[in-house]
Amino acid sequence: MTRKSTSSARWLDRHVTDKWVKQAQLDGYRSRASYKLIEIDKRDRLFTPGALVVDLGAAPGGWAQVASRALKDKGRVIALDLLEMEPLAGVEVIQGDFRDQQVLDDLLGRLDGGLADLVICDMAPNVSGIKAVDQPAMMYLLELTLDFCEQVLKTGGKLLTKTFEGAGMVEYRQQVKARFGRVVMRKPAASRDSSVEQYLLATGFRR
Ligand SMILES: C[S@@+](CC[C@H](N)C(=O)[O-])C[C@H]1O[C@@H](n2cnc3c(N)ncnc32)[C@H](O)[C@@H]1O
């Protein structure tokens, strides 16, 4: 029999009893993360008909499902992840590391000069549990995401991104505020209280 570490046993235990996991199975979503996006969308109306949406850190595809369902075939969803993602109707999938120039070029090539209405980003580095390692790795992804928005967002466009509260976030929020009309933080119910994750929503991109 395969041995289980105490922490993975605890994770498995929490996973099978988690109400969002159960709900995702009932609703046909690939991940419990879908409910974070659904809650934020309900409050902040992220999706508009015909929108071009880019989903960064998309696997296994829970957010991409929410986006394509919200757009009802009247828009475009491009999803990118390091990991392979099962095909999803109405979603264009790119596999690669967002930190690689070649992968970014592939993504920009797909846009072919078209500008996005919304960038959603649930990327997070593989956390080691060592804050001094994890926080800078997360801040690096956030910086790249903001650079990406500057390249691809329409005037008035939106960014929703996962963040980890910690070093660098005050300065990051200021950087985002300089480019967008409004910046708010969201902690949806499906985001575990024990997690440092919070979502930053920036609207009204200024070109
Ligand atoms: C929390 S999961 C995303 C869950 C997804 N939003 C959903 O609803 O199914 C974070 C994802 O970010 C991806 N990721 C982390 N670093 C990345 C990178 N540098 N480039 C691309 N994807 C990355 C991971 O592979 C992982 O699949």
Side-chain angles (χ1 to χ4, degrees):
M1 199 167 93
T2 316
R3 285 190 310 124
K4 263 194 260 139
S5 72
T6 318
S7 66
S8 73
R10 229 183 288 128
W11 179 87
L12 195 61
D13 221 36
R14 202 174 55 183
H15 190 72
V16 291
T17 56
D18 184 301
K19 76 167 183 172
W20 303 107
V21 172
K22 288 184 182 152
Q23 196 59 45
Q25 284 159 355
L26 288 173
D27 295 339
Y29 284 119
R30 290 183 181 178
S31 74
R32 68 189 295 292
S34 293
Y35 298 99
K36 302 177 191 175
L37 186 59
I38 289 170
E39 183 183 319
I40 297 170
D41 178 44
K42 218 176 203 170
R43 178 167 179 181
D44 297 296
R45 304 209 171 277
L46 301 174
F47 300 103
T48 47
L52 170 50
V53 179
V54 181
D55 181 4
L56 302 173
W63 278 25
Q65 285 178 296
V66 173
S68 74
R69 289 186 193 185
L71 295 179
K72 301 188 185 98
D73 298 327
K74 290 196 189 71
R76 189 174 172 203
V77 181
I78 305 176
L80 177 135
D81 204 286
L82 267 177
L83 305 175
E84 197 176 345
M85 197 170 124
E86 288 290 311
L88 200 52
V91 177
E92 296 164 52
V93 177
I94 300 174
Q95 185 179 1
D97 189 330
F98 183 63
R99 295 167 298 182
D100 287 355
Q101 186 62 44
Q102 240 183 328
V103 173
L104 175 65
D105 290 344
D106 183 7
L107 183 49
L108 294 173
R110 301 278 184 117
L111 291 171
D112 193 24
L115 293 176
D117 299 273
L118 173 64
V119 173
I120 52 178
C121 172
D122 203 16
M123 271 190 300
N126 268 333
V127 286
S128 65
I130 303 165
K131 198 138 179 85
V133 173
D134 298 335
Q135 187 65 14
M138 185 60 167
M139 292 314 303
Y140 180 52
L141 290 175
L142 284 167
E143 293 291 344
L144 293 181
T145 301
L146 185 56
D147 285 352
F148 178 67
C149 285
E150 295 190 356
Q151 290 182 71
V152 306
L153 269 187
K154 274 183 190 161
T155 299
K158 299 172 194 168
L159 163 68
L160 174 72
T161 183
K162 189 206 287 288
T163 66
F164 287 169
E165 255 334 285
M169 269 311 292
V170 170
E171 296 79 2
Y172 187 73
R173 264 195 295 268
Q174 273 162 1
Q175 260 178 282
V176 179
K177 273 184 184 153
R179 304 310 309 261
F180 289 82
R182 181 166 182 255
V183 179
V184 292
M185 302 304 292
R186 298 284 182 244
K187 178 81 178 172
S191 176
R192 296 191 169 98
D193 289 340
S194 56
S195 164
V196 290
E197 100 180 349
Q198 282 199 41
Y199 289 85
L200 177 151
L201 172 63
T203 54
F205 180 68
R206 291 189 284 257
R207 251 203 180 267

